[in-house]
Amino acid sequence: MSDVFISYKRRLRPQVERVASALRELRLDVWFDAALEPGVSFSAEISHEVRNAGCVLVCWSNDAFPHGGDENGWVLGEASIGRKRGRLVTVTLEDTEFDPPWNMIHSERLVGFDPTDFTADRSAWRGMLAAIGRLIERPGLADYDRAISAGTADALKGWVQSYPKDTLAETVWARIEDIELATVRKRLAEERVQPAPAAGLASATDMEPDRVYAALPEIVVEAPKADAAPAPATPLQSAAAGAMPARRLSPQLAVAIATGTCVIGSVIAALTIGEESEGNLFNTFAFGGPAAGMIILAIAMVVSGYLTVWRAVALALAGYVGFFIAIYCADFLTRSAPSFGTEGADIFGGFVLGGLGAFVVLFTLVMLARNPNLGRLIPIVLSGVLLTGVATAIVMVVPGISIHRGNYIVWGAAVWYAALGLVLMWLLAQPRGS
């Protein structure tokens, strides 16, 4: 079974061969039809490969679509199989006008990109590598490209300490050894100067005019034993730009810890204010609590490596804005539906509050993660909206808690965080593409 199956239009073969060669340099098993003989049917072999590959890399071009002149539908068919399997990664090798539903799936733009040019912008290439790495359980591919681009021993050490089980680890250690030995030889050569002669003594040059210094012998560094404990990881902030921190927690565990923290904090806040619905203490908990909760969830996303810092900041801001939108919508709909009665209006408003707030957070997370498997994720998002809406609505039947009083904000928060956390862990367990 190959790691990467590449689907493309044949006229793009030169660009695809460059991509395939660069992927093979990363110790990936790449399959595409470059070896197929003209006039021979390989449909059975292609079908087997596309259904069993670790990921399906589709290289889009206009002529892969009917509007661009495609008649056989091979690329679209292979892309559909990859999408159905949750193994799809897409890139564009030329400017492309997408047909639905492919225009809803993010594609990295590799137009005119040369994988061997480390001076060019490689963000799209690294986005593709990150997606492939997640699908084939080699999460360090994008970070490896960053470390290689930096070209320093520190950057390479940071990478290999973060991903010691990657198949490139031994190669990277060998490269680190070469870099450090070269540095040692250069330093020793610079220090290897003749000392000043003592007074009354002939200089070394005078005494040994024909002396020639031999080249330094090779330094043999004993490789670490296979069963030896790995060296403790050093902070990667000291590595060259581009080295990424090691993932210490899985996204699900990080979210579980963050959710538990938010639930406990919400319960403490609710017990502290009791049935109050105004005052400085209430306002602090009611408006500062959601901000703190979203910051905690954003930190969990960064620590687990699921989102970059800036994407996590965007998630936190979207969640906090969604909090206010949900509050005002719930209040408006509650006051606009007197026919429900006070208790019925509370339940309806609680459902809107919880469901709308969850929708903003979950939908934003799916968009920021750039996951193409929307057919699998949208049902999870909708289920999460229903779950959190129902959970928050149930809180409204508790005596003393009412949207008309305002204290529902803090009392409903604990249940909302608990329900949202369960949905987030379900969502983060799904494979991601790019």
Side-chain angles (χ1 to χ4, degrees), residues 64-368:
F65 297 96
H67 75 259
D70 179 65
E71 296 180 354
N72 56 42
W74 274 103
V75 175
L76 288 175
E78 291 161 356
S80 296
I81 293 174
R83 184 186 184 196
K84 183 177 181 180
R85 294 179 57 218
R87 296 282 172 175
L88 180 64
V89 180
T90 63
V91 299
T92 56
L93 298 183
E94 62 182 23
D95 291 330
T96 303
E97 181 181 350
F98 293 94
D99 287 343
W102 308 106
N103 58 339
M104 299 295 294
I105 297 176
H106 175 77
S107 294
E108 298 291 356
R109 190 174 188 273
L110 298 182
V111 178
F113 177 74
D114 180 2
T116 63
D117 182 5
F118 286 90
T119 62
D121 180 8
R122 302 179 67 84
S123 58
W125 176 256
R126 289 166 185 165
M128 180 198 73
L129 292 181
I132 292 174
R134 286 190 293 268
L135 293 175
I136 65 171
E137 297 183 355
R138 286 188 60 188
L141 291 179
D143 291 348
Y144 174 78
D145 190 79
R146 294 185 179 93
I148 289 295
S149 297
T152 65
D154 284 340
L156 293 170
K157 283 181 182 178
W159 181 85
V160 79
Q161 289 170 354
S162 298
Y163 307 99
K165 296 182 180 180
D166 192 277
T167 55
L168 288 166
E170 288 302 319
T171 300
V172 172
W173 278 120
R175 186 160 184 169
I176 293 171
E177 180 180 324
D178 290 340
I179 293 174
E180 294 199 336
L181 287 179
T183 303
V184 170
R185 291 193 180 99
K186 181 179 179 181
R187 177 174 56 80
L188 292 179
E190 293 172 349
E191 293 176 355
R192 201 170 166 191
V193 295
Q194 293 299 313
L201 296 178
S203 67
T205 303
D206 295 336
M207 295 178 64
E208 299 175 320
D210 298 326
R211 180 175 180 179
V212 177
Y213 289 96
L216 284 172
E218 292 293 328
I219 302 175
V220 179
V221 180
E222 184 179 356
K225 296 181 180 179
D227 57 351
T234 57
L236 300 187
Q237 289 79 6
S238 62
M244 297 292 288
R247 178 180 291 179
R248 293 181 174 85
L249 296 175
S250 69
Q252 296 94 320
L253 179 57
V255 167
I257 294 174
T259 300
T261 303
C262 293
V263 170
I264 293 173
S266 300
V267 171
I268 292 175
L271 293 175
T272 301
I273 67 172
E275 295 186 2
E276 293 183 26
S277 59
E278 57 184 13
N280 293 333
L281 183 61
F282 171 79
N283 291 333
T284 299
F285 284 133
F287 296 98
M294 290 311 304
I295 291 173
I296 291 172
L297 287 175
I299 291 174
M301 295 296 177
V302 174
V303 170
S304 67
Y306 193 81
L307 292 180
T308 63
V309 173
W310 292 114
R311 291 178 187 273
V313 170
L315 176 66
L317 290 175
Y320 193 57
V321 172
F323 161 71
F324 286 103
I325 294 174
I327 286 178
Y328 289 122
C329 287
D331 183 71
F332 174 78
L333 293 174
T334 299
R335 298 181 188 279
S336 301
S339 60
F340 289 174
T342 301
E343 184 176 351
D346 281 341
I347 295 174
F348 176 65
F351 178 83
V352 172
L353 174 66
L356 185 56
F359 176 79
V360 172
V361 174
L362 296 173
F363 182 78
T364 302
L365 177 61
V366 170
M367 293 300 100
L368 291 174

